[in-house]
Amino acid sequence: MNDRSLVLAIDDEPKILELIKSYLEINNYTPLCAANCREGMALFEQYRDSSHPIDLILLDLMLPDGSGEDFCKTIRELSDVPIIMVTAKIDEASIIQGLNLGADDYIKKPFSPRELIARLEAILRRIHASDPGHIKGRFLSYEDLSVDTDIRQVSRDGKVLQLTRDEYHILALLMSRQAKIFTRDEILYAVKGFDYDGYDRAIDTHVKKLRAKIGDNPKAPRYITTVYGMGYRMGGGPES
């Protein structure tokens, strides 16, 4: 399932960081360790544009050079990489704040390493299962757009595009079955999974950002067409 998934662990307690690193290695993950926000962001940026970006972040909320909440917020502006907050903050308000900022899960210290791995694997399993590109083969293409699903890389006319995880999943889904109309619920499941309790119109926001990145004009779409009252399909032409 993980194919040596990259997991970035950020914690200022050396013993906890070493424990996390050890259990990740035992369970066939590749750990990247940082003791503060600065180191964590440097590692994130280093791998962000590589052929294998970071697959998940384990984030302590109380760090010496900033708060985990601010770090999470910054990451969410750049990427949809899954984030598990690992912290001694146990009050309900802190948990809700973290989840509202975009964290995918929350584990309280002290924690069981086996529980941590189980939570991590559950999130990655959901993402892997909902990734349409893994089902349809390595390469997907439409006109001058191409997707390499092995490395989750999207290119237009040979130029690599920087998409978030959600934007990538939406594009790969539409390209995997071209001309099929995907409802917002179908797209939402492909991006978030069945257990996501969110608003399907959020997909419209993702599509708007995706169109901007691939150079698609919503008034005269070349790539993604809105089918009013239904959803979206791959293929240009007048909006229907």
Side-chain angles (χ1 to χ4, degrees), residues 88-127:
K89 290 186 177 182
I90 60 174
D91 59 288
E92 183 179 11
S94 294
I95 295 175
I96 292 173
Q97 180 186 15
L99 295 174
N100 285 339
L101 285 172
D104 295 83
D105 204 349
Y106 201 107
I107 295 180
K108 300 174 185 177
K109 294 179 180 179
F111 59 88
S112 161
R114 287 186 294 179
E115 179 189 3
L116 180 67
I117 295 298
R119 298 276 191 95
L120 179 154
E121 290 184 340
I123 291 174
L124 293 180
R125 184 165 55 246
R126 185 198 74 199
I127 292 171

Side-chain angles (χ1 to χ4, degrees), residues 43-141:
L43 283 170
F44 175 80
E45 291 289 356
Q46 177 184 338
Y47 285 88
R48 181 185 176 194
D49 297 328
S50 73
S51 61
H52 190 168
I54 289 168
D55 294 287
L56 186 141
I57 297 175
L58 299 173
L59 177 63
D60 183 19
L61 293 189
M62 295 182 287
L63 296 166
D65 60 344
S67 73
E69 290 92 345
D70 287 343
F71 186 90
C72 179
K73 183 178 180 181
T74 299
I75 291 294
R76 275 293 163 264
E77 293 173 352
L78 303 171
S79 169
D80 288 310
V81 61
I83 297 173
I84 299 178
M85 292 183 167
V86 185
T87 179
K89 290 186 177 182
I90 60 174
D91 59 288
E92 183 179 11
S94 294
I95 295 175
I96 292 173
Q97 180 186 15
L99 295 174
N100 285 339
L101 285 172
D104 295 83
D105 204 349
Y106 201 107
I107 295 180
K108 300 174 185 177
K109 294 179 180 179
F111 59 88
S112 161
R114 287 186 294 179
E115 179 189 3
L116 180 67
I117 295 298
R119 298 276 191 95
L120 179 154
E121 290 184 340
I123 291 174
L124 293 180
R125 184 165 55 246
R126 185 198 74 199
I127 292 171
H128 180 82
S130 65
D131 185 345
H134 285 291
I135 300 173
K136 296 294 178 181
R138 178 174 179 180
F139 292 104
L140 303 170
S141 63

Side-chain angles (χ1 to χ4, degrees):
M1 177 187 64
N2 60 51
D3 293 328
R4 298 297 295 185
S5 297
L6 283 173
V7 178
L8 172 60
I10 307 173
D11 199 299
D12 65 334
E13 298 183 54
K15 290 184 179 179
I16 291 180
L17 204 56
E18 185 59 36
L19 177 66
I20 292 174
K21 178 176 181 291
S22 176
Y23 266 80
L24 288 173
E25 290 174 339
I26 290 172
N27 287 275
N28 201 35
Y29 292 93
T30 299
L32 302 170
C33 297
N36 52 51
C37 295
R38 180 181 54 80
E39 292 178 4
M41 185 57 68
L43 283 170
F44 175 80
E45 291 289 356
Q46 177 184 338
Y47 285 88
R48 181 185 176 194
D49 297 328
S50 73
S51 61
H52 190 168
I54 289 168
D55 294 287
L56 186 141
I57 297 175
L58 299 173
L59 177 63
D60 183 19
L61 293 189
M62 295 182 287
L63 296 166
D65 60 344
S67 73
E69 290 92 345
D70 287 343
F71 186 90
C72 179
K73 183 178 180 181
T74 299
I75 291 294
R76 275 293 163 264
E77 293 173 352
L78 303 171
S79 169
D80 288 310
V81 61
I83 297 173
I84 299 178
M85 292 183 167
V86 185
T87 179
K89 290 186 177 182
I90 60 174
D91 59 288
E92 183 179 11
S94 294
I95 295 175
I96 292 173
Q97 180 186 15
L99 295 174
N100 285 339
L101 285 172
D104 295 83
D105 204 349
Y106 201 107
I107 295 180
K108 300 174 185 177
K109 294 179 180 179
F111 59 88
S112 161
R114 287 186 294 179
E115 179 189 3
L116 180 67
I117 295 298
R119 298 276 191 95
L120 179 154
E121 290 184 340
I123 291 174
L124 293 180
R125 184 165 55 246
R126 185 198 74 199
I127 292 171
H128 180 82
S130 65
D131 185 345
H134 285 291
I135 300 173
K136 296 294 178 181
R138 178 174 179 180
F139 292 104
L140 303 170
S141 63
Y142 180 82
E143 295 192 2
D144 58 351
L145 280 177
S146 62
V147 176
D148 184 334
T149 63
D150 274 4
I151 60 175
R152 300 191 180 195
Q153 180 172 286
V154 176
S155 303
R156 180 188 175 194
D157 198 22
K159 181 181 179 181
V160 176
L161 306 178
Q162 300 301 323
L163 305 185
T164 66
R165 177 170 60 88
D166 285 358
E167 291 162 358
Y168 164 81
H169 281 175
I170 292 170
L171 183 62
L173 178 68
L174 296 176
M175 290 177 67
S176 70
R177 297 184 64 185
Q178 295 172 19
K180 169 181 164 56
I181 300 171
F182 286 92
T183 67
R184 289 178 175 82
D185 283 341
E186 288 174 322
I187 298 172
L188 194 65
Y189 167 63
V191 173
K192 297 294 188 183
F194 273 135
D195 58 346
Y196 179 72
D197 183 19
Y199 187 40
D200 63 356
R201 286 288 174 174
I203 293 300
D204 296 344
T205 300
H206 287 303
V207 170
K208 181 180 179 181
K209 293 179 179 179
L210 174 58
R211 278 172 162 162
K213 290 183 179 180
I214 64 177
D216 207 8
N217 181 355
K219 295 183 179 180
R222 178 182 175 188
Y223 303 110
I224 301 173
T225 298
T226 303
V227 182
Y228 291 105
M230 298 183 68
Y232 296 96
R233 65 173 172 82
M234 198 71 194
E239 302 284 71
S240 57

